[in-house]
Amino acid sequence: MTTDTTKTAEAIPAGVTSRTTTLRRLIAVGGLATIASTFLSWTYTDEFPGDLTVYGYPGGLQVLTLVAGLLVLLYALASLEIKGLRWLAPTGTTKALQLFALGAFGTTWFTVIAITVELGGVVNLEPGGFVAAVASAIPVAAAFQLPDDTRKAARPKELPSWAEILIIVGAFAIALFAITYGIDTEYAELFTGYLITAGLAAAALFKAGLMARLSALTAKYRSIAVAAAFVAAAAFPFTQNTDQFTLIAVNILIFATVALGLNIVVGLAGLLDLGYVAFLGVGAYTAALVSGSTASAFDVEFPFWAAVLTGAAVSLIFGVVIGAPTLRLRGDYLAIVTLGFGEIFRITVGNLDGVSGPEITGGPNGIPNIPDLVFFGYSFGESHNILGFELGSYANYYLLMLVVMILVVVVFSRAGSSRIGRAWVAIREDETAATAMGINGFRVKLIAFALGATLAGLAGTVQAHVQSTVVPEMYQFAGPVPPNSAFLLAAVILGGMGTISGPLIGATLLYMIPAKLQFLQDYQLLGFGIALILLMRFRPEGLIANRRAQLEYHENDQLDVPDEGPPPSGVGIAKAGA
């Protein structure tokens, strides 16, 4: 009995097969030529960042082109059924090749155009630049002529447990290196090239089915995967020589943690909160007032743990006080009320300056000189030598914030899979139906609101000590510098509502891009708008979507059962029910 694969192969004409093989070989040649071009000089002057004048030693953006070319070559060889490489594309190579080729082409042509624009003309290009431009265009032209070979992934070969664990550890090590490289980029051109290469490479790996295989492994060895992720994240400060980029990582963790708390309110419970950043401010101001700042209106100095608990408790109280009278509203009305609360908080702390109101928050000047945290004699503001590595103050706060994030992730995952979490989802999907089934909608929404406020306040207590000052301008609905409510909401929607990794990725991208590309800070809201429009058009469920959202948003994309001939047993009933 012949298999479906054999039948398909027999049905394809020999000429088509030969043409496909030729195209794949051409892609491999183009990838090899792209790699070779990175060892040539692309410009004769070192005025362009990265020094692309050296022969035989890729530098700057050439390194990214080299990596992209290697990926093109690797997957081109996998498409040619080279033994030992078939595992790279469980669901097919065509779409992955197209994305990898676009990555190499985009990075190379961005570099060539940047050299031309910044240095004042095409005359600043060396022959190597022209070779790279032509070489990177070859795989793109060939890849988009390939027939689609998308298929259902076959059952993977069983490996020993130690081998599967090594794969998980290796994957997290590669992820750590890639993220560290992006954070450590020293100039805007290199970061832009990194975004092009990394973004398209990640999309290609998803299309190839390799990420699905890795997800299956991490689900199988969940505890080991969680430990590997924590170790990889904790290793980041040990890769840094200074605190320059560690501060960026600390802020990313703070904003990602707050976005994850907002995800409980928006992603699970479906409550549109436009003033969520106010709870971050409540926690930050509370910690500033009780941590011994010289500008504090209260002559108290709580220990670290007490300051953290106080900030979280006050945010919880504010969440209940604000939520109790407003959560009976729905939709746009609730959004308007929460937006008003956020603005009232900012205006209020700006008026508590001793002139317009009681002298508590310092008014527009805020509360400066917040001392560094001290925990059991360990000062977070001083450098410490750990395992032979010198860790600066921001590295200490990074590790502390990592622990806070783990706590928030545990709370989110446990709450989301609990009875109350299922009630949140029911309320989000249809509050009327959920209420009819016996769910107390007001109580359930108030719990979500209070829990989200508590987590934001917890992150705010750490933020106050990292920044060493708090001012009202830090907690706006929208502004040039994150965090703000628009930033947090965009992070949740962009990353994927109702998931854990989605808001983390969304917050990372939305913070890193303006931090690395300074000229975009004045156009942040424009960028948010464009990103959300594109997302709603091409991936409405977010970058990382849960299964429910993916099925809901793409239910019309499912293939219908053909009408010709009688359907197999049960198919007609399933189709009628759909």
Side-chain angles (χ1 to χ4, degrees):
M1 183 176 179
T2 58
T3 63
D4 292 339
T5 305
T6 305
K7 291 180 180 178
T8 303
E10 292 175 351
I12 300 176
V16 174
T17 306
S18 177
R19 180 176 179 273
T20 301
T21 302
T22 301
L23 288 172
R24 288 170 175 169
R25 289 173 179 172
L26 185 61
I27 294 171
V29 171
L32 189 60
T34 302
I35 295 170
S37 70
T38 62
F39 292 89
L40 304 175
S41 173
W42 288 11
T43 180
Y44 62 85
T45 174
D46 59 1
E47 294 181 6
F48 187 81
D51 193 5
L52 310 184
T53 64
V54 182
Y55 281 88
Y57 189 82
L61 284 157
Q62 288 176 324
V63 174
L64 295 175
T65 297
L66 172 62
V67 172
L70 283 171
L71 291 172
V72 170
L73 177 60
L74 192 63
Y75 269 79
L77 296 176
S79 69
L80 291 169
E81 302 293 331
I82 301 298
K83 187 176 181 181
L85 297 179
R86 298 175 184 176
W87 60 272
L88 288 172
T91 60
T93 58
T94 297
K95 292 183 178 179
L97 273 174
Q98 292 170 352
L99 291 169
F100 281 129
L102 282 176
F105 177 81
T107 305
T108 304
W109 277 76
F110 165 76
T111 307
V112 170
I113 293 172
I115 292 172
T116 303
V117 172
E118 292 186 20
L119 300 184
V122 181
V123 294
N124 294 282
L125 288 172
E126 285 279 75
F130 294 102
V131 171
V134 174
S136 63
I138 294 173
V140 175
F144 281 89
Q145 297 183 52
L146 287 173
D148 189 1
D149 64 346
T150 302
R151 59 183 179 270
K152 185 177 180 180
R155 186 178 180 87
K157 181 181 179 182
E158 290 290 336
L159 297 174
S161 297
W162 62 266
E164 293 179 334
I165 292 172
L166 281 180
I167 291 174
I168 294 174
V169 172
F172 280 106
I174 294 173
L176 171 64
F177 175 80
I179 294 173
T180 302
Y181 185 90
I183 294 177
D184 290 352
T185 50
E186 297 179 351
Y187 47 93
E189 294 86 352
L190 183 60
F191 183 72
T192 304
Y194 166 80
L195 285 180
I196 296 171
T197 304
L200 290 171
L205 293 176
F206 273 103
K207 289 294 185 181
L210 201 59
M211 298 302 292
R213 287 278 175 88
L214 181 61
S215 297
L217 281 182
T218 55
K220 182 178 179 180
Y221 301 96
R222 184 175 180 82
S223 58
I224 294 175
V226 170
F230 174 75
V231 171
F236 172 79
F238 295 93
T239 65
Q240 305 298 302
N241 296 322
T242 66
D243 271 349
Q244 178 183 0
F245 300 117
T246 309
L247 176 59
I248 296 178
V250 173
N251 286 324
I252 288 174
L253 287 182
I254 291 173
F255 304 145
T257 302
V258 180
L260 196 57
L262 178 61
N263 199 25
I264 293 177
V265 180
V266 177
L268 293 182
L271 306 173
L272 184 54
D273 188 349
L274 298 182
Y276 187 74
V277 74
F279 296 119
L280 177 69
V282 169
Y285 266 95
T286 302
L289 289 170
V290 302
S291 294
S293 169
T294 56
S296 173
F298 306 107
D299 188 19
V300 295
E301 185 173 358
F302 288 3
F304 160 69
W305 62 270
V308 170
L309 291 179
T310 303
V314 173
S315 296
L316 169 63
I317 294 171
F318 268 81
V320 173
V321 170
I322 299 301
T326 61
L327 287 177
R328 298 187 186 279
L329 301 173
R330 298 186 187 181
D332 298 339
Y333 300 102
L334 177 62
I336 293 172
V337 171
T338 55
L339 175 61
F341 163 65
E343 290 302 298
I344 289 171
F345 168 79
R346 181 178 61 83
I347 294 171
T348 301
V349 295
N351 288 334
L352 298 179
D353 57 356
V355 178
S356 302
E359 187 176 357
I360 298 177
T361 63
N365 297 323
I367 304 177
N369 304 322
I370 301 173
D372 289 302
L373 291 173
V374 178
F375 188 56
F376 288 110
Y378 186 94
S379 175
F380 285 80
E382 300 177 359
S383 297
H384 298 274
N385 191 287
I386 299 178
L387 301 177
F389 294 91
E390 188 76 16
L391 295 184
S393 60
Y394 291 131
N396 298 325
Y397 282 112
Y398 173 89
L399 295 174
L400 172 63
M401 201 59 222
L402 185 61
V403 174
V404 173
M405 173 176 279
I406 292 173
L407 174 63
V408 174
V409 168
V410 171
V411 170
F412 181 92
S413 60
R414 293 298 178 91
S417 58
S418 67
R419 181 179 179 182
I420 191 70
R422 293 193 294 273
W424 287 336
V425 174
I427 290 290
R428 181 192 68 194
E429 296 299 325
D430 192 328
E431 185 172 350
T432 303
T435 304
M437 295 300 294
I439 295 176
N440 188 330
F442 173 75
R443 182 177 66 87
V444 167
K445 291 191 293 184
L446 186 59
I447 292 174
F449 210 74
L451 181 57
T454 304
L455 297 180
L458 183 65
T461 59
V462 180
Q463 185 207 27
H465 291 87
V466 172
Q467 303 289 350
S468 74
T469 184
V470 288
V471 292
E473 287 71 22
M474 295 171 62
Y475 308 103
Q476 304 179 46
F477 168 72
V481 180
N484 51 65
S485 292
F487 167 89
L488 295 171
L489 188 61
V492 172
I493 297 174
L494 176 67
M497 294 189 297
T499 65
I500 293 177
S501 56
L504 305 184
I505 293 175
T508 300
L509 291 176
L510 292 180
Y511 183 83
M512 277 184 63
I513 292 175
K516 290 293 185 179
L517 306 178
Q518 299 292 330
F519 67 92
L520 287 180
Q521 289 190 354
D522 294 334
Y523 305 97
Q524 198 172 80
L525 288 179
L526 175 63
F528 286 172
I530 293 174
L532 291 177
I533 290 172
L534 294 175
L535 194 72
M536 292 303 102
R537 171 60 183 86
F538 297 105
R539 195 172 176 83
E541 69 274 21
L543 296 177
I544 306 295
N546 59 32
R547 186 63 177 167
R548 179 196 299 269
Q550 204 163 24
L551 292 174
E552 287 177 355
Y553 284 115
H554 295 282
E555 60 182 355
N556 293 330
D557 297 340
Q558 305 300 318
L559 295 177
D560 292 330
V561 178
D563 293 333
E564 294 81 4
S569 175
V571 173
I573 298 175
K575 185 179 179 182

